[in-house]
Amino acid sequence: MFTDEYFMKIALAEAEAAFVLGEIPVGALIVSGHKIIAKGRNSTEALVDVTAHAEMLAITAAAEAIGGKYLRNCTLYVTLEPCIMCAGALYWSQISKVVIGAADEKRGYRNAGVQLHPKTEVTSGIFEKECGEIVKEFFRLRRI
């Protein structure tokens, strides 16, 4: 029941909520022991803060939830590949696993040559189509 797909659907719901609010539709959640300890969605417009990415908000909330800055034994589910800023924060958090929905060819950390912590496991492509389509639709509507 508690599969990567199960948790990615919840992250996708966060992205959909961001979409409705006029934010770039990225959703994230952090899980520890099959329990969601933090959620985040892009909130850069609402918070007037360029660092208010879904991952950053989830990392902060998760650290608060566990009472420490290291997210060992935690998994981040994120609908879009993290940018280099978020990858840096994930590196320093020492998160155990990152599960990515869709790749971000333009601003993703992998094409920028950035690495996550050596002990961080990465899985990609969970609901890749759905996670990628919501971002494409968001920008398509803005170009009309």
Side-chain angles (χ1 to χ4, degrees), residues 10-11 17 40 56 82 85 90 96 118:
I10 298 168
M56 299 295 279
M85 173 186 69
L90 290 165
S96 296

Side-chain angles (χ1 to χ4, degrees), residues 14 24 26 28 34 96 99 109 119 122 124 127 144:
E14 288 295 314
I24 295 174
V26 178
H34 300 297
S96 296
V99 179
Y109 78 93
K119 292 182 180 177
V122 178
S124 299
F127 290 116
I144 294 176

